[in-house]
Amino acid sequence: MAPPPTTTTAAAAAAAATAMAAGVRHRQHFLRRGVLPSPASPLPFASRVSSASSPLRLPPPRFSLSPIPKTLSSSSSSHVPVRSLFTGIVEDVGSVRRIGPPPSGGWGGGGEAPGVDLEVETKTLLAGTQLGDSVAVDGTCLTVASIDPAASTLTFGVAPETLRRTSLGDRSPGDGVNLERALTPASRMGGHFVQGHVDGTGEIAAFRPEGDSLWVTVRAPPEILRLLVPKGFVAVDGTSLTVVNVDEDAGWFDFMLVRYTQDNIVLPKKKVGDKVNLEADILGKYVEKLLAGRVEAMSKADS
């Protein structure tokens, strides 16, 4: 037979009971403040409509590489923000089939610089590509608005602002264009972070062979040149390349193409004086902005 509890044991039991009650109240307090999700309420990222027969469904993650609906038409494709990422490793050289207003009269309107449809023939990119997917066309991130498997073509809507900032408006039927689909979580990172947001255009100034490699010199505006550094990255027509020399005073930079790259991109087929799309490394842009803010703050502190 167990001995009766002593005064000390009874006091300890009472204290433990008090602590447990306080702990429950404390936990409920945190639940009310939202620190912990209440077991009786749905999680903040779960569907609010649920039943015993229907499982919870999560909305698309906010960091999705392709958050665009898969039912886009050319009338809306240029107005949907595209958050995609590329590496600058060209998958295929496509051929321009048609560039001009949509057959239906289209979404370009009657302005001075209406948008156009860009139809590109490619067999490599057809497999797995869907409406709304992002594809870099000569380094310009565009949205697939139409797919024709029989003709092996993808059609993209090109907005007026894109025509102003890139060289796509200079393309003609038969021209080659570099193509790369957006990264997936399982993709290898073969080049560098390329957004497909072209900073501006440059102009091919010279080609110079050296052995089986090819030197290319490009003239570029100051706002792009200041973001380029020797041994840094640059995307030229969507191709990830390593900068060799930069001369800001003379207004040019250069790089070298190995034989394999020459055989698998459009650039060597272009002529001196042709335009190329340029995108500087995003890391350089962030560093420049952060330093500019720091300098401005120090200047205000000194004044």
Side-chain angles (χ1 to χ4, degrees):
M1 181 175 178
T6 62
T7 304
T8 303
T9 305
T18 303
M20 289 178 63
V24 171
R25 289 195 299 270
H26 187 60
R27 182 172 180 272
Q28 290 173 345
H29 172 67
F30 275 110
L31 291 179
R32 286 196 299 271
R33 294 184 61 186
V35 176
L36 297 174
S38 170
S41 64
L43 293 173
F45 50 79
S47 171
R48 296 291 179 181
V49 180
S50 62
S51 66
S53 59
S54 61
L56 295 178
R57 297 185 182 276
L58 303 182
R62 302 186 70 168
F63 51 83
S64 170
L65 289 176
S66 183
I68 304 168
K70 300 299 182 183
T71 56
L72 286 178
S73 64
S74 60
S75 62
S76 61
S77 60
S78 65
H79 306 293
V80 179
V82 178
R83 295 185 291 273
S84 301
L85 194 64
F86 307 89
T87 67
I89 304 300
V90 175
E91 290 187 83
D92 187 28
V93 174
S95 177
V96 175
R97 273 283 194 87
R98 185 181 68 84
I99 182 168
S104 59
W107 53 273
E112 295 181 0
V116 299
D117 270 4
L118 175 63
E119 185 178 347
V120 178
E121 181 179 356
T122 170
K123 294 182 179 178
T124 303
L125 266 64
L126 284 182
T129 299
Q130 302 179 30
L131 292 178
D133 281 356
S134 298
V135 176
V137 181
D138 271 356
T140 307
C141 182
L142 300 177
T143 301
V144 177
S146 178
I147 302 174
D148 187 342
S152 298
T153 60
L154 302 175
T155 300
F156 309 90
V158 185
E161 176 65 8
T162 304
L163 292 173
R164 285 189 289 266
R165 295 186 67 89
T166 72
S167 63
L168 291 181
D170 297 337
R171 299 293 176 266
S172 301
D175 286 350
V177 287
N178 296 323
L179 301 174
E180 180 194 354
R181 288 169 291 194
L183 278 170
T184 66
S187 300
R188 285 190 174 94
M189 190 67 199
H192 72 287
F193 293 126
V194 178
Q195 294 180 292
H197 300 164
V198 175
D199 294 311
T201 59
E203 181 182 298
I204 298 174
F207 292 107
R208 180 171 61 86
E210 182 178 340
D212 64 351
S213 296
L214 181 67
W215 284 94
V216 184
T217 303
V218 175
R219 294 191 184 93
E223 60 270 21
I224 296 178
L225 284 173
R226 70 168 181 257
L227 296 171
L228 304 184
V229 295
K231 302 303 183 288
F233 288 118
V234 65
V236 180
D237 279 347
T239 305
S240 176
L241 298 167
T242 301
V243 177
V244 179
N245 300 292
V246 182
D247 191 330
E248 292 189 55
D249 294 332
W252 58 265
F253 70 96
D254 64 9
F255 50 88
M256 180 176 279
L257 301 178
V258 298
R259 170 55 58 191
Y260 178 85
T261 306
Q262 295 175 53
D263 293 340
N264 288 277
I265 66 173
V266 175
L267 189 59
K269 300 177 180 63
K270 292 192 172 184
K271 306 182 298 295
V272 171
D274 283 353
K275 288 182 180 179
V276 289
N277 294 322
L278 302 176
E279 180 187 333
D281 190 352
I282 184 64
L283 299 179
K285 300 173 190 176
Y286 279 126
V287 170
E288 182 185 49
K289 183 173 183 178
L290 290 170
L291 288 177
R294 183 68 173 170
V295 170
E296 182 179 358
M298 292 175 64
S299 176
K300 289 181 179 179
D302 294 338
S303 60

